[in-house]
Amino acid sequence: MADAPEKEHPVEAYGYAARDSSGHLSPFKFSRRATGEKDVAFNITHCGICHSDLHFIKNEWGIAAYPVVPGHELVGIVTEVGSKVTKYKVGDRVGVGCLVGSCRSCTNCADDLENYCPGLILTYGSKNVDGTRTYGGYSNFMVCDEHFVVRIPDSMPSDGAAPLLCAGVTVYSPLRYYGLDKPGMHLGVVGLGGLGHMAVKFGKAMGLKVTVISTSPGKKSEAMERLGADAFLVSHDPEQMQGAVGTLDGIIDTVSAAHSLLPLVRLAKTNGKVILVGVPEKPFELHSFGIIMGRKMVGGSSIGGLKETQEMINFAAEHNITADIEVIPVDYVNTAMDRLQKADVKYRFVIDIANTLKP
Amino acid sequence: MATNYEDQHPNKAFGWAAHDSSGLLSPFPFSRRENGVDDVAVKILFCGVCHSDLHALKNEWGVTRYPLIPGHEVVGLVTKVGANVEKFKAGDRVGVGVIVGSCMKCEACNQDLENYCDKLIFTYNSVDWDGTNAFGGYSDSIVVHQRYVLRFPDNLPADKGAPLLCAGITVYSPMKYYGMTEPGKHLGVAGLGGLGHVAVKIGKAFGLKVTVISSSPGKEADAIDCLGADAFLPTSDPAKVQAAMGSIDYIIDTISAVHSLPLLLSLLKLNGKLVAVGLPNKPLDLPIFPLVLKRRLIGGSDFGGIKETEEMLEFCAKHGIAADVEVIKMDEINTALERLAKSDVKYRFVIDVANSVSPK
């Protein structure tokens, strides 16, 4: 019979968990493994709230096993390293994103594509190698294999860095893989939330012209004046959308709500690319004519590998990019989830774990 | 007042045309323009019957202008060239494919990607340079601007080579563009018709392992024994589909009927690519997780540019690739089109125009 979460492992831990598909989070005692020879243990100072956390705690993907401690945008300070750890030492500022393990032997892992490993272990909601459940970053500390830990550069604040670990790499990776990173290219960003605002910042840092495409006209001044987008299209305004047909080299679609693909395909130039990083539940309708005429493509992308995550963090540090956040105490987390559901945040909540999560 | 097609232009011509969306073709005397300085006049020898011809004849896309003479897989002999034409001379064997004109000055045209120009003149069912209807290759002659006339290799047979002018380039172009030509990689060809059978041959010539993916189990013997495919995957067999998941690098999807994209996507490896060249008349469901979780893409492609089409013809000539055809006389065309609608042909009809199209 499985041990109670508190007794599963030798080291006591505490955090907030959802216990059923209401998604309501409340204090939760559990435990973590002792620091193994390749492990890095760190006190979590901050954890970003990703929209995936919300999908997961409400069991929208049908895979939740309760209790769930979400959180896969963690930053903290190293307290202990295993005997075989070479990259980190006590006192270092580090982060962990969406993965805490992979098989380390398949071709994907060998190609630094741990995010596509069939045996990947997610930071929360997965089964560890020892069969126990993984618990995420809405908690006081973390123990993680060195390979899945990244360094947070000194110049980067912990709170603004945390969302990079999922939102950042999720848009950075496809910009690189699909070649939408050449200065002068014109990038469309659909949806201005956690992912979207990061895509605008990375796009501008790469020298792209960036157009934000959104259902909310009220986001225009934010997009252009604060985030630096070059243009803004209201997606349900047929005249604006018609005027932009065939103008974009690439489009990053971050929207998870149901929406149409064809209008986005039409915005793409010949050879243009529509990249999906949001995951609406219902399938799109693919109009073959839309992609055949103009040789356009629709591709997907899922988070990023570890090497790429570190590369992205370093790029962000170099270009002074951090996420736009609202820092909250942990006991605000349920209200934050309600607001997140309504997209009422600019643009990521980050839990101030260090100062507000108490045993 | 109805247009008198016989008197529209100075040179008499004869073909078969449809006059309404029944798509039934019948003898049709008309005329072709006199050569301009850039024009090449061609006596048509053979014309392939493309499934697009059938779609257009029946006005399935809602854009057909009747009378319609279809045909965009033309092989013929040059009879006369205009004063500025240096590339061709009388007696040359040439091809005419899907287009006879483009704007010649946009980004696409300047990159030899005429097929992506916004102002295309298609070989049939378009408005030609002079404002008249463009009539296609189910006819005895055609006059085409030299830029859109293709050199036809000597060692390519005219009858079996004609279908390459649409079917061939339609699969060759995306295979090059999407990087689907690395020897040893695994290509899936979905649909075994005019496009599909040429894709198998071209895929083998690139050194790929080729699996034909089909809803018709009866096509297996042909696929493997006649066309040289390495394997056959019947989509109606769930166990075989399951076993093949994540095993294919690229898929050329030639299927024109509504079909399951998730099934095809599931066959692709990480970073796999599916290229859509078939044109179902309804949208297909595209679930997002299969694309996102394995970074796969689905791309389209639309025939090919002129230079690329010539490159494809040379490639096919070099590798001994031509279509598998059933040669028919012009007066058999309506029966052939009925059979084509049921996919009852291996794998392209080709009209022996020179020997069967003339005013009686």
Side-chain angles (χ1 to χ4, degrees):
Chain A
M1 195 181 86
D3 282 334
E6 285 181 69
K7 300 206 170 80
E8 250 175 355
H9 298 290
V11 187
E12 279 175 11
Y14 54 90
Y16 268 55
R19 285 153 167 90
D20 57 45
S21 61
S22 71
H24 183 84
L25 294 147
S26 54
F28 175 69
K29 287 192 169 51
F30 64 107
S31 51
R32 294 219 188 256
R33 66 177 183 260
T35 308
E37 57 186 10
K38 292 194 186 158
D39 281 338
V40 173
F42 59 97
N43 282 340
I44 299 171
T45 59
H46 297 86
C47 186
I49 297 185
C50 177
H51 206 126
S52 300
D53 300 348
L54 182 53
H55 290 309
F56 203 89
I57 58 179
K58 296 204 163 196
N59 201 15
E60 285 175 21
W61 296 329
I63 53 172
Y66 297 100
V68 173
V69 174
H72 56 205
E73 296 180 341
L74 312 58
V75 174
I77 311 284
V78 178
T79 52
E80 192 186 351
V81 299
S83 57
K84 293 202 167 140
V85 168
T86 55
K87 289 198 290 185
Y88 304 106
K89 59 186 191 310
V90 171
D92 281 350
R93 229 155 38 105
V94 296
V96 165
C98 301
L99 314 178
V100 292
S102 68
C103 82
R104 310 294 302 281
S105 57
C106 68
T107 43
N108 294 342
C109 287
D111 286 340
D112 298 314
L113 293 172
E114 299 90 347
N115 48 324
Y116 297 111
C117 169
L120 69 85
I121 302 172
L122 300 173
T123 303
Y124 64 84
S126 261
K127 271 225 172 77
N128 249 320
V129 179
D130 61 4
T132 61
R133 188 173 301 159
T134 54
Y135 292 117
Y138 296 16
S139 59
N140 64 320
F141 84 102
M142 183 63 161
V143 181
C144 182
D145 185 306
E146 168 183 43
H147 185 84
F148 297 89
V149 174
V150 294
R151 181 182 305 283
I152 306 297
D154 292 338
S155 60
M156 197 178 254
S158 294
D159 54 4
L164 297 177
L165 295 160
C166 177
V169 73
T170 296
V171 297
Y172 180 89
S173 179
L175 288 176
R176 292 294 192 206
Y177 177 71
Y178 289 102
L180 296 174
D181 57 352
K182 316 277 180 291
M185 279 185 159
H186 191 169
L187 177 72
V189 177
V190 187
L192 197 62
L195 294 180
H197 92 290
M198 296 278 15
V200 174
K201 294 190 182 206
F202 280 125
K204 292 308 300 170
M206 291 170 180
L208 312 179
K209 178 172 168 190
V210 176
T211 292
V212 169
I213 299 140
S214 170
T215 53
S216 324
K219 293 189 176 181
K220 181 173 177 177
S221 66
E222 262 285 304
M224 295 186 63
E225 288 156 32
R226 225 169 52 72
L227 295 172
D230 299 279
F232 187 91
L233 292 175
V234 177
S235 49
H236 53 256
D237 182 325
E239 246 182 74
Q240 284 188 31
M241 292 293 276
Q242 181 61 31
V245 159
T247 59
L248 302 178
D249 292 284
I251 292 158
I252 296 264
D253 183 0
T254 75
V255 173
S256 284
H259 59 290
S260 289
L261 181 61
L262 184 59
L264 302 180
V265 169
R266 297 190 69 232
L267 293 178
K269 291 179 181 173
T270 295
N271 301 331
K273 304 172 185 176
V274 179
I275 308 308
L276 310 177
V277 291
V279 273
E281 221 186 292
K282 284 202 168 55
F284 280 132
E285 276 190 348
L286 179 75
H287 297 252
S288 306
F289 267 103
I291 55 170
I292 283 174
M293 293 177 58
R295 192 163 63 179
K296 303 178 191 184
M297 47 154 278
V298 179
S301 185
S302 178
I303 42 179
L306 269 304
K307 187 165 163 216
E308 193 169 38
T309 304
Q310 186 68 70
E311 178 193 301
M312 174 277 304
I313 297 248
N314 297 346
F315 178 89
E318 203 184 305
H319 293 271
N320 286 321
I321 294 172
T322 54
D324 289 1
I325 59 176
E326 184 176 328
V327 181
I328 59 159
V330 70
D331 60 9
Y332 190 79
V333 72
N334 289 306
T335 309
M337 287 298 187
D338 288 340
R339 286 179 52 197
L340 179 58
Q341 183 81 59
K342 297 178 237 150
D344 173 25
V345 57
K346 286 184 187 151
Y347 286 97
R348 262 300 200 248
F349 290 110
V350 173
I351 306 171
D352 179 357
I353 299 270
N355 294 316
T356 67
L357 179 65
K358 309 289 180 210
Chain B
M1 194 182 85
T3 312
N4 184 336
Y5 293 103
E6 286 185 71
D7 294 337
Q8 222 180 16
H9 299 291
N11 294 319
K12 294 261 172 280
F14 190 83
W16 280 50
H19 297 273
D20 56 46
S21 61
S22 70
L24 284 170
L25 292 147
S26 54
F28 180 72
F30 67 110
S31 49
R32 294 280 189 196
R33 67 174 183 262
E34 184 52 62
N35 274 16
V37 294
D38 288 302
D39 280 337
V40 176
V42 176
K43 170 183 153 69
I44 298 177
L45 299 173
F46 291 97
C47 185
V49 178
C50 177
H51 207 125
S52 300
D53 299 351
L54 185 53
H55 291 309
L57 283 165
K58 300 211 163 201
N59 199 13
E60 284 174 21
W61 296 327
V63 294
T64 300
R65 302 144 64 93
Y66 298 100
L68 173 71
I69 302 180
H72 57 203
E73 297 181 340
V74 171
V75 178
L77 295 172
V78 176
T79 53
K80 196 164 110 176
V81 300
N84 288 350
V85 175
E86 291 172 0
K87 206 171 144 191
F88 303 105
K89 60 186 192 306
D92 284 347
R93 227 160 44 129
V94 294
V96 176
V98 179
I99 56 173
V100 292
S102 66
C103 82
M104 298 201 259
K105 52 183 193 239
C106 67
E107 211 179 354
C109 286
N110 288 338
Q111 290 176 39
D112 296 319
L113 291 172
E114 298 90 347
N115 49 323
Y116 297 114
C117 172
D118 286 332
K119 297 189 164 63
L120 286 176
I121 302 174
F122 292 100
T123 303
Y124 63 83
N125 200 29
S126 259
V127 177
D128 214 329
W129 305 95
D130 55 12
T132 61
N133 279 15
F135 288 127
Y138 293 16
S139 61
D140 58 7
S141 65
I142 192 165
V143 177
V144 181
H145 186 292
Q146 60 170 325
R147 179 171 172 158
Y148 307 92
V149 177
L150 303 146
R151 265 189 266 266
F152 200 82
D154 290 336
N155 54 337
L156 206 48
D159 53 355
K160 298 183 172 56
L164 297 175
L165 293 161
C166 177
I169 185 60
T170 296
V171 299
Y172 179 89
S173 179
M175 288 178 72
K176 295 295 292 278
Y177 178 69
Y178 287 100
M180 299 159 80
T181 59
E182 208 183 309
K185 295 279 193 188
H186 190 174
L187 171 73
V189 177
L192 196 62
L195 293 182
H197 91 291
V198 174
V200 172
K201 297 185 185 207
I202 292 180
K204 291 308 300 169
F206 277 125
L208 306 174
K209 174 179 167 186
V210 177
T211 293
V212 169
I213 304 157
S214 171
S215 57
S216 320
K219 292 190 175 181
E220 177 164 3
D222 230 41
I224 302 208
D225 302 329
C226 301
L227 297 173
D230 298 282
F232 184 89
L233 178 60
T235 51
S236 51
D237 186 329
K240 291 194 172 159
V241 170
Q242 177 72 28
M245 281 188 178
S247 68
I248 298 182
D249 292 285
Y250 340 106
I251 292 175
I252 295 258
D253 182 2
T254 75
I255 303 171
S256 282
V258 168
H259 60 285
S260 169
L261 281 181
L263 187 154
L264 294 179
L265 289 173
S266 74
L267 300 172
L268 289 171
K269 295 177 182 174
L270 173 68
N271 300 334
K273 302 173 186 179
L274 185 148
V275 176
V277 290
L279 286 165
N281 58 358
K282 286 194 170 52
L284 301 179
D285 278 347
L286 178 64
I288 293 106
F289 271 106
L291 291 182
V292 165
L293 292 181
K294 290 250 192 293
R295 196 160 64 176
R296 300 166 172 138
L297 68 88
I298 173 165
S301 185
D302 204 8
F303 59 108
I306 298 297
K307 203 160 145 203
E308 197 180 20
T309 306
E310 286 187 332
E311 178 193 302
M312 175 277 305
L313 290 170
E314 291 296 336
F315 178 89
C316 288
K318 179 172 158 195
H319 291 275
I321 294 171
D324 291 2
V325 302
E326 186 176 327
V327 180
I328 59 166
K329 301 278 183 242
M330 189 77 236
D331 61 7
E332 296 172 300
I333 185 62
N334 290 312
T335 311
L337 288 166
E338 274 174 26
R339 286 178 53 199
L340 178 58
K342 294 179 244 156
S343 300
D344 175 24
V345 57
K346 286 185 186 161
Y347 285 96
R348 264 291 202 254
F349 290 111
V350 173
I351 306 167
D352 180 359
V353 173
N355 293 317
S356 66
V357 178
S358 61
K360 294 229 186 357

